Amino acid sequence: MTDGTPPGSAPFSDQLAKTLGAAISQRGPHYVPRTQHLDEHGRPRFSNRLALESSPYLLQHAHNPVNWFPWGDEAFAEARRLARPVFLSIGYSTCHWCHVMEAESFEDEEIARFLNQHYVAVKVDREERPDVDAVYMSAVQQLTGSGGWPMSVWLTAAREPFFAGTYFPPRDGVRGGSRGFLSLLGALAETFHRDPGRVGKASAALVDAVRQDMQGTAAANAANAGKDMAELPARQLIAATVAHYKSSFDSEHGGLQRAPKFPSHVPLRLLLRYVQRTGDSDALHMATLTLEKMAAGGLYDQLGGGFHRYSTDAQWLLPHFEKMLYDNALLVVAYAEAFQVSGRADFARVARETCDYVLREMSDGDGAFYSATDADSEGDEGRFFVWTEDEIRRGLAPLGGETTRLFLAHYDVRAGGNWEGRNILNVPSPDEKHWAALANARAILYELRARRIPPLRDDKILAGWNGLMISALAVAGRILDEPRYLDAAVRAADFVLAHLRSSDGELQRSFKDGQARHPAFLDDHAFLAAGLIDLYEASFDARWLAEALTLAQATERLFADPTGGWFMSSPRHETLIAREKPAYDGAEPSGTSVALMNALRLGVFTGDERWRQIAERGLRAHAQVLRERPIAMTEALLALDFLADTPLEIAIVWPDGMADTANAADAAAPLLSVLRRTYLPSRAIAGGPESAIETLAETVTFVRGKVAQGGLPTAYVCRQGRCELPVTDAAALAAKLGRGAR
């Protein structure tokens, strides 16, 4: 295969051209280049260094006429050699507006030629390099007041930004923009060469702003590190945060009174904890209404299960159709816990359907989970998921007219469609009996949909996002009594621990094409450790708790700030112009917030006061944010709530010979059933056969000395090592947990 040098670029060296050609040839005869620039044989006219990468996002741009470089020293050395600015584009593979800017600008030969002649162009996958993304997103926010993807940043060869934005239309006047991308490229290149002093001042000011944004709060809070814990009034902060959400709650549709709507806009798990502690019926209504409306809307895939990224309207009807692994993992936990609190069967169903979707459509054959699926297919956003009334009538004809009429009514199917002439399936009037009656209809339409051209799937495996999904499956498996979810969580944990570790045993962030890449970040360690703690509580297999402790210890070694809290990156990572100390819970919880909760949970399991001290230092380090903007760190408030409580220490012990660890549920089913249906957010649950208890006690101190009473599975409920009388009866355990739940 012959590779073409992008227009306006110096010819590639023979070695680079050969390497690119070999990489492309390895993709086989069925490889379809993602570009409009093809020769008469369907081969790409242009290629660039991204063809040597494994990231699906970078590979999407491997045949643009832009001479892209991956992030790295080579690109910035080239910028210094040529005395050119760097154009940095950051996005991810399932980003709709990233695709739009690619089609409009990066596939445009005139724009590509100008870029190649006047810039060094660099592409970054934000999901592989969240550290790079965070630094330059801060620059975008400093300049524009908002952010998003695609991210467009102009840098010096020293990696210092001097101008930034997000999506730009290709030319002046397109999409109503006064200045298009090509004009902006020209103006900034001219300024870079004509007035380097101005560029230097702009970059110096912007770098200072980025450092202050990412590190200033941590520095300001360093003085808090030694202050008394009374300065973190957990209950008052949580009540004030709940009051804020009450004041802006959408009482008709759930969520906040705004559009677009993200599931993360309302801290559902925090509301459930507040309800459990206070009995606040309004907070319960906020949580359950939001969960109900999300699952009834187009945000939820009514045929295949799982949630789309967010809703562009206030009614949860019109989604942005991409699906992210992390959204679905987090929502499984929220729905499973809401089922515990409310007993609503529809919440359990949604949790199951979402798990089933992930296992069916997002699973690697070896047990790990892929990252995302795109919003677009066949050139249109959402095309895969929407229907005409006629398509549905024809598909359901074998089931008869009555079933078809019920389906059309239940899922709000209209002759003219509810979006651009087609129908986004949604449920205006949820009815579980109707849902059950339409199982065959959904199955038929799902199979018909599967014959369509599907959205692209990002099949890289990320350690952190797999950690979130391990949590989801472990929690759902335990609460819903679904052993297959627990089995899937075990497979995923085995995969990540086996394949996403380097030769020196350190966790890696990303796995693709048989290779682990990039040192793992704070969130990878924290999310995976949390998943393994949840997996231990669901399985009582002590190896998962041991692995969680190992990861938590690595978190302290690699990321801890001596003044409290954690940095996103470690000394193993590249040194950037700023080092982020995460202090914001968005669509994903921050690594900080999850690490806080991990430390507190491990402190209860191990009885080691050091873990509690680590959590307290972390909370003090973020005291200013928590006091001034608690809605920015609502996941950290879960840890604050845990700290203010006296967590239950629950031990389940069964006689030897009744069961081993693998089928503990058979031995202690009545007791475990009580734990499944009881909402206990502040707790540590451990268990095992009598012969294993003393070994387990070397890690989990509160199980020491616990025995099976009268040859029966026995439950112990303790607080700070002080235990109530053991019980062997499920009703007695339920009574104890009911008294201790608040």
Side-chain angles (χ1 to χ4, degrees), residues 509-542:
R509 177 162 179 86
S510 181
F511 183 90
K512 179 76 167 59
D513 297 334
Q515 182 181 3
R517 301 186 66 191
H518 307 295
F521 294 93
L522 170 63
D523 57 348
D524 296 301
H525 286 77
F527 295 177
L528 183 56
L532 296 178
I533 296 171
D534 287 328
L535 186 51
Y536 171 70
E537 287 193 320
S539 68
F540 294 157
D541 186 339

PDB file of all heavy atoms in Angstrom, residues 509-542:
ATOM      1  N   ARG A 509      -3.337   2.606  32.309  1.00  0.00           N
ATOM      2  CA  ARG A 509      -4.670   3.180  32.096  1.00  0.00           C
ATOM      3  C   ARG A 509      -5.464   2.476  31.012  1.00  0.00           C
ATOM      4  O   ARG A 509      -6.648   2.215  31.183  1.00  0.00           O
ATOM      5  CB  ARG A 509      -4.567   4.658  31.745  1.00  0.00           C
ATOM      6  CG  ARG A 509      -5.942   5.281  31.434  1.00  0.00           C
ATOM      7  CD  ARG A 509      -5.963   6.756  31.510  1.00  0.00           C
ATOM      8  NE  ARG A 509      -7.274   7.310  31.178  1.00  0.00           N
ATOM      9  CZ  ARG A 509      -8.278   7.486  32.015  1.00  0.00           C
ATOM     10  NH1 ARG A 509      -8.142   7.087  33.282  1.00  0.00           N
ATOM     11  NH2 ARG A 509      -9.419   8.033  31.630  1.00  0.00           N
ATOM     12  N   SER A 510      -4.835   2.164  29.877  1.00  0.00           N
ATOM     13  CA  SER A 510      -5.583   1.783  28.682  1.00  0.00           C
ATOM     14  C   SER A 510      -5.053   0.483  28.104  1.00  0.00           C
ATOM     15  O   SER A 510      -3.845   0.214  28.147  1.00  0.00           O
ATOM     16  CB  SER A 510      -5.478   2.908  27.640  1.00  0.00           C
ATOM     17  OG  SER A 510      -6.201   2.588  26.472  1.00  0.00           O
ATOM     18  N   PHE A 511      -5.960  -0.319  27.555  1.00  0.00           N
ATOM     19  CA  PHE A 511      -5.588  -1.578  26.907  1.00  0.00           C
ATOM     20  C   PHE A 511      -6.282  -1.646  25.560  1.00  0.00           C
ATOM     21  O   PHE A 511      -7.492  -1.454  25.443  1.00  0.00           O
ATOM     22  CB  PHE A 511      -6.019  -2.765  27.766  1.00  0.00           C
ATOM     23  CG  PHE A 511      -5.617  -4.107  27.211  1.00  0.00           C
ATOM     24  CD1 PHE A 511      -4.404  -4.678  27.545  1.00  0.00           C
ATOM     25  CD2 PHE A 511      -6.464  -4.803  26.352  1.00  0.00           C
ATOM     26  CE1 PHE A 511      -4.031  -5.925  27.037  1.00  0.00           C
ATOM     27  CE2 PHE A 511      -6.105  -6.034  25.837  1.00  0.00           C
ATOM     28  CZ  PHE A 511      -4.879  -6.595  26.183  1.00  0.00           C
ATOM     29  N   LYS A 512      -5.498  -1.915  24.519  1.00  0.00           N
ATOM     30  CA  LYS A 512      -6.052  -2.004  23.164  1.00  0.00           C
ATOM     31  C   LYS A 512      -5.102  -2.838  22.325  1.00  0.00           C
ATOM     32  O   LYS A 512      -3.882  -2.701  22.426  1.00  0.00           O
ATOM     33  CB  LYS A 512      -6.190  -0.598  22.573  1.00  0.00           C
ATOM     34  CG  LYS A 512      -6.740  -0.539  21.150  1.00  0.00           C
ATOM     35  CD  LYS A 512      -8.227  -0.772  21.091  1.00  0.00           C
ATOM     36  CE  LYS A 512      -8.811  -0.394  19.732  1.00  0.00           C
ATOM     37  NZ  LYS A 512      -8.227  -1.138  18.609  1.00  0.00           N
ATOM     38  N   ASP A 513      -5.660  -3.703  21.496  1.00  0.00           N
ATOM     39  CA  ASP A 513      -4.877  -4.521  20.580  1.00  0.00           C
ATOM     40  C   ASP A 513      -3.788  -5.310  21.309  1.00  0.00           C
ATOM     41  O   ASP A 513      -2.658  -5.418  20.851  1.00  0.00           O
ATOM     42  CB  ASP A 513      -4.250  -3.651  19.490  1.00  0.00           C
ATOM     43  CG  ASP A 513      -5.292  -2.967  18.619  1.00  0.00           C
ATOM     44  OD1 ASP A 513      -6.415  -3.495  18.515  1.00  0.00           O
ATOM     45  OD2 ASP A 513      -4.987  -1.897  18.057  1.00  0.00           O
ATOM     46  N   GLY A 514      -4.145  -5.856  22.458  1.00  0.00           N
ATOM     47  CA  GLY A 514      -3.228  -6.713  23.199  1.00  0.00           C
ATOM     48  C   GLY A 514      -2.139  -5.995  23.965  1.00  0.00           C
ATOM     49  O   GLY A 514      -1.246  -6.645  24.504  1.00  0.00           O
ATOM     50  N   GLN A 515      -2.223  -4.681  24.058  1.00  0.00           N
ATOM     51  CA  GLN A 515      -1.150  -3.922  24.691  1.00  0.00           C
ATOM     52  C   GLN A 515      -1.722  -2.918  25.695  1.00  0.00           C
ATOM     53  O   GLN A 515      -2.664  -2.193  25.399  1.00  0.00           O
ATOM     54  CB  GLN A 515      -0.339  -3.168  23.634  1.00  0.00           C
ATOM     55  CG  GLN A 515       0.827  -2.375  24.199  1.00  0.00           C
ATOM     56  CD  GLN A 515       1.588  -1.636  23.113  1.00  0.00           C
ATOM     57  OE1 GLN A 515       1.217  -1.673  21.950  1.00  0.00           O
ATOM     58  NE2 GLN A 515       2.659  -0.961  23.492  1.00  0.00           N
ATOM     59  N   ALA A 516      -1.136  -2.892  26.888  1.00  0.00           N
ATOM     60  CA  ALA A 516      -1.481  -1.883  27.889  1.00  0.00           C
ATOM     61  C   ALA A 516      -0.595  -0.665  27.690  1.00  0.00           C
ATOM     62  O   ALA A 516       0.610  -0.796  27.440  1.00  0.00           O
ATOM     63  CB  ALA A 516      -1.305  -2.444  29.291  1.00  0.00           C
ATOM     64  N   ARG A 517      -1.197   0.530  27.815  1.00  0.00           N
ATOM     65  CA  ARG A 517      -0.463   1.763  27.554  1.00  0.00           C
ATOM     66  C   ARG A 517      -0.806   2.813  28.601  1.00  0.00           C
ATOM     67  O   ARG A 517      -1.884   2.799  29.191  1.00  0.00           O
ATOM     68  CB  ARG A 517      -0.817   2.324  26.173  1.00  0.00           C
ATOM     69  CG  ARG A 517      -0.532   1.382  25.018  1.00  0.00           C
ATOM     70  CD  ARG A 517      -0.768   2.081  23.694  1.00  0.00           C
ATOM     71  NE  ARG A 517       0.183   3.173  23.484  1.00  0.00           N
ATOM     72  CZ  ARG A 517       0.055   4.080  22.513  1.00  0.00           C
ATOM     73  NH1 ARG A 517      -0.973   4.045  21.700  1.00  0.00           N
ATOM     74  NH2 ARG A 517       0.963   5.029  22.381  1.00  0.00           N
ATOM     75  N   HIS A 518       0.119   3.715  28.814  1.00  0.00           N
ATOM     76  CA  HIS A 518      -0.040   4.912  29.634  1.00  0.00           C
ATOM     77  C   HIS A 518      -0.144   4.557  31.126  1.00  0.00           C
ATOM     78  O   HIS A 518      -1.052   3.823  31.534  1.00  0.00           O
ATOM     79  CB  HIS A 518      -1.265   5.730  29.221  1.00  0.00           C
ATOM     80  CG  HIS A 518      -1.315   6.076  27.764  1.00  0.00           C
ATOM     81  ND1 HIS A 518      -0.384   6.893  27.171  1.00  0.00           N
ATOM     82  CD2 HIS A 518      -2.182   5.715  26.781  1.00  0.00           C
ATOM     83  CE1 HIS A 518      -0.677   7.026  25.887  1.00  0.00           C
ATOM     84  NE2 HIS A 518      -1.755   6.312  25.628  1.00  0.00           N
ATOM     85  N   PRO A 519       0.745   5.089  31.934  1.00  0.00           N
ATOM     86  CA  PRO A 519       0.620   4.893  33.382  1.00  0.00           C
ATOM     87  C   PRO A 519      -0.745   5.349  33.874  1.00  0.00           C
ATOM     88  O   PRO A 519      -1.271   6.369  33.428  1.00  0.00           O
ATOM     89  CB  PRO A 519       1.748   5.771  33.948  1.00  0.00           C
ATOM     90  CG  PRO A 519       2.724   5.927  32.834  1.00  0.00           C
ATOM     91  CD  PRO A 519       1.909   5.932  31.576  1.00  0.00           C
ATOM     92  N   ALA A 520      -1.314   4.593  34.786  1.00  0.00           N
ATOM     93  CA  ALA A 520      -2.654   4.900  35.280  1.00  0.00           C
ATOM     94  C   ALA A 520      -2.644   6.168  36.122  1.00  0.00           C
ATOM     95  O   ALA A 520      -1.640   6.520  36.747  1.00  0.00           O
ATOM     96  CB  ALA A 520      -3.177   3.727  36.104  1.00  0.00           C
ATOM     97  N   PHE A 521      -3.794   6.822  36.138  1.00  0.00           N
ATOM     98  CA  PHE A 521      -3.960   8.062  36.871  1.00  0.00           C
ATOM     99  C   PHE A 521      -4.677   7.802  38.189  1.00  0.00           C
ATOM    100  O   PHE A 521      -5.033   6.671  38.513  1.00  0.00           O
ATOM    101  CB  PHE A 521      -4.743   9.063  36.005  1.00  0.00           C
ATOM    102  CG  PHE A 521      -3.992   9.496  34.773  1.00  0.00           C
ATOM    103  CD1 PHE A 521      -4.162   8.828  33.569  1.00  0.00           C
ATOM    104  CD2 PHE A 521      -3.097  10.555  34.820  1.00  0.00           C
ATOM    105  CE1 PHE A 521      -3.473   9.212  32.429  1.00  0.00           C
ATOM    106  CE2 PHE A 521      -2.397  10.947  33.688  1.00  0.00           C
ATOM    107  CZ  PHE A 521      -2.580  10.276  32.494  1.00  0.00           C
ATOM    108  N   LEU A 522      -4.895   8.878  38.937  1.00  0.00           N
ATOM    109  CA  LEU A 522      -5.579   8.768  40.224  1.00  0.00           C
ATOM    110  C   LEU A 522      -6.923   8.085  40.083  1.00  0.00           C
ATOM    111  O   LEU A 522      -7.252   7.182  40.866  1.00  0.00           O
ATOM    112  CB  LEU A 522      -5.761  10.170  40.834  1.00  0.00           C
ATOM    113  CG  LEU A 522      -6.674  10.258  42.062  1.00  0.00           C
ATOM    114  CD1 LEU A 522      -6.099   9.455  43.224  1.00  0.00           C
ATOM    115  CD2 LEU A 522      -6.902  11.722  42.458  1.00  0.00           C
ATOM    116  N   ASP A 523      -7.732   8.503  39.095  1.00  0.00           N
ATOM    117  CA  ASP A 523      -9.071   7.920  39.007  1.00  0.00           C
ATOM    118  C   ASP A 523      -9.019   6.436  38.662  1.00  0.00           C
ATOM    119  O   ASP A 523      -9.873   5.660  39.111  1.00  0.00           O
ATOM    120  CB  ASP A 523      -9.959   8.692  38.034  1.00  0.00           C
ATOM    121  CG  ASP A 523      -9.403   8.789  36.633  1.00  0.00           C
ATOM    122  OD1 ASP A 523      -8.226   8.463  36.428  1.00  0.00           O
ATOM    123  OD2 ASP A 523     -10.151   9.208  35.726  1.00  0.00           O
ATOM    124  N   ASP A 524      -8.023   5.998  37.892  1.00  0.00           N
ATOM    125  CA  ASP A 524      -7.900   4.564  37.609  1.00  0.00           C
ATOM    126  C   ASP A 524      -7.690   3.777  38.896  1.00  0.00           C
ATOM    127  O   ASP A 524      -8.336   2.745  39.127  1.00  0.00           O
ATOM    128  CB  ASP A 524      -6.731   4.313  36.656  1.00  0.00           C
ATOM    129  CG  ASP A 524      -6.937   4.952  35.303  1.00  0.00           C
ATOM    130  OD1 ASP A 524      -7.934   4.621  34.641  1.00  0.00           O
ATOM    131  OD2 ASP A 524      -6.111   5.783  34.899  1.00  0.00           O
ATOM    132  N   HIS A 525      -6.766   4.244  39.725  1.00  0.00           N
ATOM    133  CA  HIS A 525      -6.503   3.561  40.992  1.00  0.00           C
ATOM    134  C   HIS A 525      -7.721   3.610  41.909  1.00  0.00           C
ATOM    135  O   HIS A 525      -8.110   2.598  42.506  1.00  0.00           O
ATOM    136  CB  HIS A 525      -5.294   4.199  41.688  1.00  0.00           C
ATOM    137  CG  HIS A 525      -3.984   3.866  41.070  1.00  0.00           C
ATOM    138  ND1 HIS A 525      -3.536   4.448  39.904  1.00  0.00           N
ATOM    139  CD2 HIS A 525      -2.993   3.001  41.454  1.00  0.00           C
ATOM    140  CE1 HIS A 525      -2.343   3.964  39.600  1.00  0.00           C
ATOM    141  NE2 HIS A 525      -1.994   3.086  40.510  1.00  0.00           N
ATOM    142  N   ALA A 526      -8.335   4.798  42.022  1.00  0.00           N
ATOM    143  CA  ALA A 526      -9.444   4.957  42.957  1.00  0.00           C
ATOM    144  C   ALA A 526     -10.673   4.181  42.508  1.00  0.00           C
ATOM    145  O   ALA A 526     -11.308   3.475  43.308  1.00  0.00           O
ATOM    146  CB  ALA A 526      -9.775   6.439  43.119  1.00  0.00           C
ATOM    147  N   PHE A 527     -11.043   4.285  41.223  1.00  0.00           N
ATOM    148  CA  PHE A 527     -12.242   3.600  40.743  1.00  0.00           C
ATOM    149  C   PHE A 527     -12.080   2.089  40.814  1.00  0.00           C
ATOM    150  O   PHE A 527     -13.022   1.372  41.169  1.00  0.00           O
ATOM    151  CB  PHE A 527     -12.551   3.995  39.293  1.00  0.00           C
ATOM    152  CG  PHE A 527     -12.925   5.444  39.082  1.00  0.00           C
ATOM    153  CD1 PHE A 527     -13.155   5.924  37.804  1.00  0.00           C
ATOM    154  CD2 PHE A 527     -13.032   6.335  40.145  1.00  0.00           C
ATOM    155  CE1 PHE A 527     -13.503   7.239  37.583  1.00  0.00           C
ATOM    156  CE2 PHE A 527     -13.369   7.669  39.934  1.00  0.00           C
ATOM    157  CZ  PHE A 527     -13.608   8.119  38.652  1.00  0.00           C
ATOM    158  N   LEU A 528     -10.892   1.599  40.456  1.00  0.00           N
ATOM    159  CA  LEU A 528     -10.683   0.153  40.491  1.00  0.00           C
ATOM    160  C   LEU A 528     -10.671  -0.353  41.929  1.00  0.00           C
ATOM    161  O   LEU A 528     -11.255  -1.402  42.228  1.00  0.00           O
ATOM    162  CB  LEU A 528      -9.383  -0.211  39.778  1.00  0.00           C
ATOM    163  CG  LEU A 528      -9.072  -1.704  39.669  1.00  0.00           C
ATOM    164  CD1 LEU A 528     -10.201  -2.467  38.998  1.00  0.00           C
ATOM    165  CD2 LEU A 528      -7.762  -1.930  38.916  1.00  0.00           C
ATOM    166  N   ALA A 529     -10.039   0.382  42.825  1.00  0.00           N
ATOM    167  CA  ALA A 529     -10.041  -0.025  44.235  1.00  0.00           C
ATOM    168  C   ALA A 529     -11.462  -0.067  44.780  1.00  0.00           C
ATOM    169  O   ALA A 529     -11.844  -1.010  45.495  1.00  0.00           O
ATOM    170  CB  ALA A 529      -9.180   0.930  45.060  1.00  0.00           C
ATOM    171  N   ALA A 530     -12.282   0.936  44.445  1.00  0.00           N
ATOM    172  CA  ALA A 530     -13.673   0.942  44.901  1.00  0.00           C
ATOM    173  C   ALA A 530     -14.421  -0.264  44.354  1.00  0.00           C
ATOM    174  O   ALA A 530     -15.215  -0.896  45.073  1.00  0.00           O
ATOM    175  CB  ALA A 530     -14.351   2.239  44.467  1.00  0.00           C
ATOM    176  N   GLY A 531     -14.189  -0.589  43.081  1.00  0.00           N
ATOM    177  CA  GLY A 531     -14.844  -1.746  42.495  1.00  0.00           C
ATOM    178  C   GLY A 531     -14.469  -3.032  43.210  1.00  0.00           C
ATOM    179  O   GLY A 531     -15.317  -3.908  43.425  1.00  0.00           O
ATOM    180  N   LEU A 532     -13.211  -3.145  43.586  1.00  0.00           N
ATOM    181  CA  LEU A 532     -12.764  -4.367  44.260  1.00  0.00           C
ATOM    182  C   LEU A 532     -13.306  -4.457  45.687  1.00  0.00           C
ATOM    183  O   LEU A 532     -13.582  -5.558  46.180  1.00  0.00           O
ATOM    184  CB  LEU A 532     -11.235  -4.425  44.248  1.00  0.00           C
ATOM    185  CG  LEU A 532     -10.607  -4.529  42.849  1.00  0.00           C
ATOM    186  CD1 LEU A 532      -9.087  -4.526  42.943  1.00  0.00           C
ATOM    187  CD2 LEU A 532     -11.089  -5.770  42.112  1.00  0.00           C
ATOM    188  N   ILE A 533     -13.462  -3.316  46.358  1.00  0.00           N
ATOM    189  CA  ILE A 533     -14.100  -3.339  47.677  1.00  0.00           C
ATOM    190  C   ILE A 533     -15.545  -3.814  47.546  1.00  0.00           C
ATOM    191  O   ILE A 533     -16.019  -4.661  48.316  1.00  0.00           O
ATOM    192  CB  ILE A 533     -14.040  -1.948  48.339  1.00  0.00           C
ATOM    193  CG1 ILE A 533     -12.591  -1.532  48.619  1.00  0.00           C
ATOM    194  CG2 ILE A 533     -14.824  -1.959  49.658  1.00  0.00           C
ATOM    195  CD1 ILE A 533     -12.437  -0.089  49.068  1.00  0.00           C
ATOM    196  N   ASP A 534     -16.257  -3.270  46.545  1.00  0.00           N
ATOM    197  CA  ASP A 534     -17.639  -3.714  46.321  1.00  0.00           C
ATOM    198  C   ASP A 534     -17.682  -5.196  45.958  1.00  0.00           C
ATOM    199  O   ASP A 534     -18.593  -5.918  46.379  1.00  0.00           O
ATOM    200  CB  ASP A 534     -18.275  -2.886  45.208  1.00  0.00           C
ATOM    201  CG  ASP A 534     -18.599  -1.468  45.642  1.00  0.00           C
ATOM    202  OD1 ASP A 534     -18.906  -1.262  46.823  1.00  0.00           O
ATOM    203  OD2 ASP A 534     -18.521  -0.558  44.789  1.00  0.00           O
ATOM    204  N   LEU A 535     -16.707  -5.647  45.184  1.00  0.00           N
ATOM    205  CA  LEU A 535     -16.669  -7.053  44.790  1.00  0.00           C
ATOM    206  C   LEU A 535     -16.401  -7.939  45.992  1.00  0.00           C
ATOM    207  O   LEU A 535     -16.966  -9.039  46.107  1.00  0.00           O
ATOM    208  CB  LEU A 535     -15.602  -7.255  43.714  1.00  0.00           C
ATOM    209  CG  LEU A 535     -15.496  -8.632  43.068  1.00  0.00           C
ATOM    210  CD1 LEU A 535     -16.841  -9.125  42.575  1.00  0.00           C
ATOM    211  CD2 LEU A 535     -14.488  -8.599  41.931  1.00  0.00           C
ATOM    212  N   TYR A 536     -15.584  -7.469  46.922  1.00  0.00           N
ATOM    213  CA  TYR A 536     -15.377  -8.256  48.143  1.00  0.00           C
ATOM    214  C   TYR A 536     -16.676  -8.383  48.927  1.00  0.00           C
ATOM    215  O   TYR A 536     -17.056  -9.476  49.369  1.00  0.00           O
ATOM    216  CB  TYR A 536     -14.298  -7.643  49.044  1.00  0.00           C
ATOM    217  CG  TYR A 536     -14.286  -8.354  50.372  1.00  0.00           C
ATOM    218  CD1 TYR A 536     -13.818  -9.665  50.452  1.00  0.00           C
ATOM    219  CD2 TYR A 536     -14.854  -7.782  51.512  1.00  0.00           C
ATOM    220  CE1 TYR A 536     -13.894 -10.376  51.645  1.00  0.00           C
ATOM    221  CE2 TYR A 536     -14.938  -8.478  52.702  1.00  0.00           C
ATOM    222  CZ  TYR A 536     -14.453  -9.780  52.761  1.00  0.00           C
ATOM    223  OH  TYR A 536     -14.547 -10.493  53.922  1.00  0.00           O
ATOM    224  N   GLU A 537     -17.385  -7.274  49.113  1.00  0.00           N
ATOM    225  CA  GLU A 537     -18.626  -7.332  49.892  1.00  0.00           C
ATOM    226  C   GLU A 537     -19.676  -8.231  49.233  1.00  0.00           C
ATOM    227  O   GLU A 537     -20.531  -8.789  49.920  1.00  0.00           O
ATOM    228  CB  GLU A 537     -19.202  -5.932  50.073  1.00  0.00           C
ATOM    229  CG  GLU A 537     -18.426  -5.080  51.068  1.00  0.00           C
ATOM    230  CD  GLU A 537     -19.194  -3.833  51.468  1.00  0.00           C
ATOM    231  OE1 GLU A 537     -19.835  -3.220  50.590  1.00  0.00           O
ATOM    232  OE2 GLU A 537     -19.151  -3.475  52.659  1.00  0.00           O
ATOM    233  N   ALA A 538     -19.607  -8.348  47.922  1.00  0.00           N
ATOM    234  CA  ALA A 538     -20.578  -9.188  47.219  1.00  0.00           C
ATOM    235  C   ALA A 538     -20.176 -10.650  47.182  1.00  0.00           C
ATOM    236  O   ALA A 538     -21.036 -11.530  47.031  1.00  0.00           O
ATOM    237  CB  ALA A 538     -20.762  -8.684  45.792  1.00  0.00           C
ATOM    238  N   SER A 539     -18.892 -10.942  47.319  1.00  0.00           N
ATOM    239  CA  SER A 539     -18.415 -12.314  47.125  1.00  0.00           C
ATOM    240  C   SER A 539     -17.763 -12.931  48.351  1.00  0.00           C
ATOM    241  O   SER A 539     -17.649 -14.158  48.438  1.00  0.00           O
ATOM    242  CB  SER A 539     -17.388 -12.334  45.990  1.00  0.00           C
ATOM    243  OG  SER A 539     -16.204 -11.643  46.379  1.00  0.00           O
ATOM    244  N   PHE A 540     -17.296 -12.100  49.285  1.00  0.00           N
ATOM    245  CA  PHE A 540     -16.511 -12.551  50.435  1.00  0.00           C
ATOM    246  C   PHE A 540     -15.219 -13.257  50.027  1.00  0.00           C
ATOM    247  O   PHE A 540     -14.660 -14.042  50.803  1.00  0.00           O
ATOM    248  CB  PHE A 540     -17.321 -13.451  51.364  1.00  0.00           C
ATOM    249  CG  PHE A 540     -18.464 -12.752  52.059  1.00  0.00           C
ATOM    250  CD1 PHE A 540     -19.546 -13.474  52.529  1.00  0.00           C
ATOM    251  CD2 PHE A 540     -18.467 -11.381  52.253  1.00  0.00           C
ATOM    252  CE1 PHE A 540     -20.605 -12.848  53.177  1.00  0.00           C
ATOM    253  CE2 PHE A 540     -19.512 -10.748  52.891  1.00  0.00           C
ATOM    254  CZ  PHE A 540     -20.593 -11.483  53.357  1.00  0.00           C
ATOM    255  N   ASP A 541     -14.746 -12.991  48.825  1.00  0.00           N
ATOM    256  CA  ASP A 541     -13.459 -13.529  48.382  1.00  0.00           C
ATOM    257  C   ASP A 541     -12.372 -12.539  48.801  1.00  0.00           C
ATOM    258  O   ASP A 541     -12.272 -11.436  48.253  1.00  0.00           O
ATOM    259  CB  ASP A 541     -13.462 -13.714  46.869  1.00  0.00           C
ATOM    260  CG  ASP A 541     -12.205 -14.400  46.358  1.00  0.00           C
ATOM    261  OD1 ASP A 541     -11.173 -14.379  47.067  1.00  0.00           O
ATOM    262  OD2 ASP A 541     -12.241 -14.942  45.239  1.00  0.00           O
ATOM    263  N   ALA A 542     -11.543 -12.927  49.766  1.00  0.00           N
ATOM    264  CA  ALA A 542     -10.617 -11.992  50.407  1.00  0.00           C
ATOM    265  C   ALA A 542      -9.555 -11.447  49.464  1.00  0.00           C
ATOM    266  O   ALA A 542      -8.945 -10.412  49.754  1.00  0.00           O
ATOM    267  CB  ALA A 542      -9.947 -12.670  51.600  1.00  0.00           C
TER     268      ALA A 542
END
